[in-house]
Amino acid sequence: MSKPFYITTPIYYVNDRPHIGHAYTTIAADMMARFHRIAGREAFFLTGTDEHGTKIAEAAEAAGVSEIEFCDGNVAKFKDVWTKLDIKYDYFVRTTSERHLEAVRKILDVMREAKSDDGQEVVYSDFYEGLYCKGCEKFMTEKELVDGKCSDHQTVPEKVKEKNYFFRLTAFLPTIKEKIESGELQILPDERRREVLGLLNQDLPDFSLSRERVKWGVPLTFDPSQVAYVWIDALSNYISAIGYADNETEFKKWWYDSEVVHLMAKDILKFHCLYWPAMLMAAGLPLPEKMFLHGYFTVNGTKMSKSLGNFIDPVDMIEEFGSDSTRYLLLTQYPFGLDGDIQANRFVIQYNSDLANDLGNLVSRVGKMIAVNFNGKMPSPSSGLAGMQDLMKLTERAPGEAYEHVKHFRLSHAIATGLNLVKAANKFFDETKPWVLAREGKTKELGGVLYACCEVLRIVSILLYPVMPNKMSELRKMLSLDDSTLTLDHAATFFDQAVGATIDVSEPLFPRKDVKKKTEAKAKPAKSKQVNDDNLIDISDFGKVKLKVAVVLSAEKVEGADRLLKLQIDAGKGKKQIVAGIAEHYTPEQIVGKKVIVVANLKPAVIRGIESNGMLLAAKKGKKLFVVTPDGDLPPGAGVS
Ligand code: ME8
């Protein structure tokens, strides 16, 4: 009997609602947990939210609510999306929960007492020196400053020296290296392992384990004037959630006696592959067995971003395709583990080809022939049909192959194993021509072909269940199968269905989608997403927009574009260029010298080949446009709220 399987996703930041990147990792973990379960293994699947730190506190402030209210709001959005996506986690950890806080306090205490192999204290106090912006309440790097100033507050940050507690990372690095090299700690795929070993060859410093000025965090047990560094807090979730501080039996089972797998993308490699093992060693705990760091994806070839219009909201995708197809489409875009591209503009085409045409069509053509020729009851199997041996061999190999793929994190391959069976059954159907067998009255052969196809469908309903749990359960209902046979063992035997069972496919499993309609809808995202008075946004969304007073320094018409003016403005940080669609309403002379309100934190865009670094606000009355001007003598750069 294999040992239990414990899989985790990162705990996601709650400064915003979940996006498709979060969904990707979470669906993958859910698929793995479900696959191990149908293979007879006990599995525990953990996900959750990372709720402390300056970033969250700032977002809460911008939204005008308390930190915890803000977190509660976004946690609800995460949970809602996971429910909509049929994510069956066993526990949802929140870093603001008392259970988690207790565990962080415990690991802090244990680490504080710990000594490294050479007898030195693991946690020591020292001074941290940095540039601190009072307005932002945070340390800043030289790189973040503009002309030596904080760009938000226009102030020169103070040089500050504060007492911090440090974690003696350097004492653990040689052992971590050994454990990775020996395979005791498996970093997967191999490219990521090499990346970690590369990091280990550099001179990595100890890291600061506490922050004096951050308020939204877990106070240190041994010095409550400081809070724990967010990563110390966040990484501890993997043990707080399984009883580190409050349930010895559960903790022993899932941490000591299980195959522990941390799943994430490569962006958080250093924290997981170096800091976390070091923390665990300091706390005298065993290391996880595996860390799998999948790639980072782009959408339609570019980094996903709201301003580029290629941002995919999981909720929109579920509304369009349903939960199962969303899960399927996301995990089959490119090989799991690598960097890749999510081709959102091809979703409909792929849905129609794999799900509606291949799988959906097999179900419907087989079901319809059983309805017409066998009164909707499963016919008897028959041996000796042409092509049947090949189909059976392929089918009997599939469960083992698919499970091997899952064990090695080749999720897209595992899914393809199921879909290849569907393609093979469609080929078998085409080649045995059951409609001719029916016409010629060859009932025995006809029944044999349809029985074999139903067997493939039954096995596919098991193999694809982990990625499409609802649709595969629906398919099983169509075949009169219950959950007691939803196991990998049952997928390994052919001729397992009861003759005479009701086969009812009256509803299409994957109705075809209209490519044209969807493509048109995709082509006009801006219009359909326009905010009107009835389409309310969260206050947190508004908080993201930085509005500033600016003065127009100069203006000129853009050649070949009747509506556009190129403006040089000062929004408090020197000259900035924007392109505005106001040329039909203002001449350059009329707009120069005016004070306007601009959106100051827009990503640069290129309009008619000219870079534009912001937008100005204007209001419309009929066809006439008026720029919005501040009421009062406000200096350029004054914030508008
Ligand atoms: O880093 N491609 O949280 P986070 C693939 N709170 N995966 C992506 C992705 C993309 N383009 N974008 C996001 C944090 N992800 C910390 C983690 S854990 C102790 C603390 C997924 O909200 C991927 O799993 O920034 C990545 O590792 C994670 O979201 C980062 O989520």
Side-chain angles (χ1 to χ4, degrees):
M1 190 69 185
S2 327
K3 50 185 178 174
F5 178 73
Y6 172 32
I7 186 155
T8 66
T9 69
I11 48 168
Y12 305 113
Y13 288 126
V14 287
N15 50 327
D16 209 339
R17 61 183 196 276
H19 59 66
I20 212 79
H22 300 137
Y24 184 77
T25 315
T26 313
I27 295 168
D30 186 62
M31 172 177 164
M32 279 189 253
R34 286 179 189 264
F35 217 110
H36 284 292
R37 282 196 191 107
I38 61 167
R41 251 178 119 177
E42 243 191 304
F44 191 94
F45 166 24
L46 174 71
T47 190
T49 41
D50 191 352
E51 303 180 26
H52 286 130
T54 318
K55 202 152 66 169
I56 315 277
E58 279 173 355
E61 199 188 338
V65 291
S66 72
E67 288 93 343
I68 194 66
E69 276 173 316
F70 182 78
C71 292
D72 286 349
N74 276 335
V75 167
K77 289 181 195 160
F78 271 88
K79 286 189 171 172
D80 178 51
V81 173
W82 298 160
T83 305
K84 290 193 166 101
L85 276 173
D86 292 298
I87 301 296
K88 210 170 134 200
Y89 51 77
D90 293 285
Y91 191 81
F92 189 102
V93 58
R94 292 188 57 175
T95 55
T96 50
S97 67
E98 190 44 46
R99 185 179 197 207
H100 174 80
L101 297 177
E102 191 53 40
V104 177
R105 290 193 281 264
K106 177 168 170 182
I107 198 169
L108 283 170
D109 278 343
V110 175
M111 292 194 306
R112 175 71 170 152
E113 293 302 313
K115 296 264 187 316
S116 60
D117 282 349
D118 53 2
Q120 300 192 80
E121 284 184 322
V122 171
V123 175
Y124 60 93
S125 120
D126 204 342
F127 284 94
Y128 179 86
E129 242 185 284
L131 298 167
Y132 188 78
C133 171
K134 268 199 180 144
C136 298
E137 286 185 51
K138 71 175 183 195
F139 282 100
M140 308 193 67
T141 60
E142 297 273 4
K143 266 199 210 148
E144 286 173 301
L145 306 179
V146 179
D147 298 330
K149 290 182 187 165
C150 160
S151 57
D152 281 349
H153 297 94
Q154 292 302 308
T155 49
V156 178
E158 278 175 58
K159 264 213 169 111
V160 167
K161 201 170 172 186
E162 73 169 36
K163 193 177 99 179
N164 263 192
Y165 293 88
F166 280 74
F167 181 89
R168 202 178 299 279
L169 178 70
T170 41
F172 297 95
L173 295 177
T175 319
I176 294 178
K177 191 168 177 211
E178 268 168 42
K179 287 184 191 277
I180 294 176
E181 279 171 343
S182 71
E184 190 183 327
L185 171 58
Q186 297 178 42
I187 310 285
L188 301 161
D190 201 46
E191 197 187 338
R192 301 279 91 82
R193 176 177 180 268
R194 286 198 300 269
E195 194 178 333
V196 179
L197 290 173
L199 280 179
L200 282 162
N201 285 334
Q202 295 170 15
D203 261 345
L204 292 168
D206 291 342
F207 66 86
S208 157
L209 153 155
S210 64
R211 297 285 184 270
E212 192 179 73
R213 285 154 208 273
V214 175
K215 296 286 165 274
W216 181 236
V218 190
L220 292 187
T221 38
F222 41 87
D223 184 349
S225 70
Q226 312 227 351
V227 303
Y229 174 39
V230 271
W231 277 98
I232 293 272
D233 172 2
L235 289 161
S236 307
N237 90 87
Y238 299 132
I239 54 174
S240 73
I242 46 166
Y244 173 60
D246 59 10
N247 191 330
E248 238 177 80
T249 322
E250 196 191 356
F251 185 57
K252 181 175 178 306
K253 173 174 176 179
W254 296 111
W255 197 255
Y256 285 78
D257 302 336
S258 299
E259 179 190 359
V260 177
V261 177
H262 294 319
L263 183 69
M264 73 210 84
K266 61 183 188 180
D267 54 336
I268 43 184
L269 172 140
K270 186 173 85 179
F271 304 106
H272 282 79
C273 301
L274 300 177
Y275 287 19
W276 181 226
M279 281 171 64
L280 288 166
M281 283 194 270
L285 295 170
L287 302 194
E289 200 167 308
K290 291 176 185 148
M291 310 230 192
F292 190 89
L293 300 103
H294 63 71
Y296 226 66
F297 60 73
T298 49
V299 174
N300 297 342
T302 33
K303 191 168 176 247
M304 183 168 63
S305 105
K306 284 187 184 158
S307 60
L308 291 174
N310 65 345
F311 186 87
I312 311 174
D313 187 323
V315 176
D316 290 346
M317 200 170 162
I318 301 163
E319 265 167 26
E320 187 171 348
F321 294 99
S323 151
D324 295 275
S325 310
T326 297
R327 295 165 60 109
Y328 176 89
L329 289 169
L330 287 180
L331 289 188
T332 52
Q333 293 295 305
Y334 60 91
F336 191 70
L338 306 182
D339 285 338
D341 188 40
I342 300 250
Q343 305 208 340
N345 41 10
R346 286 184 47 84
F347 279 159
V348 178
I349 297 169
Q350 198 199 338
Y351 167 92
N352 279 341
S353 138
D354 294 0
L355 300 177
N357 287 0
D358 286 349
L359 180 50
N361 193 31
L362 179 65
V363 175
S364 108
R365 70 209 295 214
V366 171
K368 277 183 189 148
M369 289 211 86
I370 294 180
V372 172
N373 297 284
F374 297 93
N375 209 14
K377 302 287 174 205
M378 179 71 108
S380 301
S382 172
S383 52
L385 298 165
M388 172 102 167
Q389 280 304 320
D390 287 348
L391 184 64
M392 270 176 62
K393 268 193 213 142
L394 194 73
T395 310
E396 281 170 355
R397 268 206 319 265
E401 275 177 18
Y403 194 30
E404 265 318 288
H405 285 317
V406 171
K407 283 188 204 157
H408 293 96
F409 303 91
R410 295 186 296 258
L411 302 189
S412 34
H413 290 69
I415 297 171
T417 308
L419 210 74
N420 285 342
L421 282 188
V422 171
K423 288 183 200 289
N426 271 323
K427 187 164 166 268
F428 171 73
F429 190 96
D430 291 339
E431 287 173 357
T432 49
K433 300 192 174 56
W435 58 95
V436 175
L437 298 175
R439 208 167 51 219
E440 293 175 351
K442 293 184 175 161
T443 315
K444 189 166 169 289
E445 287 89 336
L446 174 63
V449 168
L450 298 176
Y451 185 96
C453 289
C454 280
E455 270 300 79
V456 172
L457 284 175
R458 179 183 64 80
I459 289 164
V460 165
S461 78
I462 300 172
L463 299 186
L464 294 185
Y465 165 81
V467 64
M468 294 190 284
N470 271 317
K471 286 287 175 187
M472 292 306 101
S473 297
E474 251 180 71
L475 172 56
R476 294 178 65 79
K477 277 202 192 90
M478 291 176 173
L479 301 174
S480 291
L481 300 165
D482 64 34
D483 283 353
S484 65
T485 55
L486 180 52
T487 70
L488 212 55
D489 275 352
H490 278 91
T493 43
F494 215 77
F495 301 122
D496 204 41
Q497 285 186 78
V499 174
T502 301
I503 308 293
D504 176 6
V505 301
S506 32
E507 289 294 320
L509 195 58
F510 294 102
R512 269 190 75 78
K513 292 203 181 288
D514 184 346
V515 178
K516 197 165 162 279
K517 209 173 100 206
K518 295 295 169 195
T519 320
E520 275 171 4
K522 280 262 165 307
K524 300 181 197 155
K527 266 235 155 81
S528 61
K529 289 256 182 269
Q530 241 170 28
V531 177
N532 58 38
D533 292 349
D534 303 317
N535 193 351
L536 301 178
I537 60 163
D538 280 351
I539 192 161
S540 59
D541 289 329
F542 183 69
K544 288 179 206 153
V545 180
K546 274 204 178 130
L547 297 174
K548 297 236 154 121
V549 172
V551 60
V552 181
L553 304 172
S554 66
E556 61 182 284
K557 287 200 151 200
V558 174
E559 225 173 287
D562 296 343
R563 294 179 48 246
L564 300 181
L565 283 186
K566 183 165 93 177
L567 311 177
Q568 305 299 329
I569 59 161
D570 178 4
K573 277 191 227 157
K575 222 192 223 176
K576 207 170 170 182
Q577 176 170 294
I578 66 173
V579 177
I582 54 169
E584 288 166 335
H585 310 277
Y586 291 87
T587 62
E589 297 71 37
Q590 284 172 326
I591 192 81
V592 170
K594 261 200 193 316
K595 293 249 176 82
V596 291
I597 310 285
V598 293
V599 181
N601 60 340
L602 272 188
K603 288 192 179 151
V606 176
I607 303 172
R608 294 281 179 129
I610 305 168
E611 188 173 306
S612 179
N613 296 295
M615 261 172 138
L616 59 77
L617 298 193
K620 242 185 177 172
K621 186 177 165 201
K623 289 196 168 161
K624 180 83 185 119
L625 198 74
F626 299 87
V627 295
V628 176
T629 54
D631 178 21
D633 186 22
L634 293 163
V640 178
S641 53

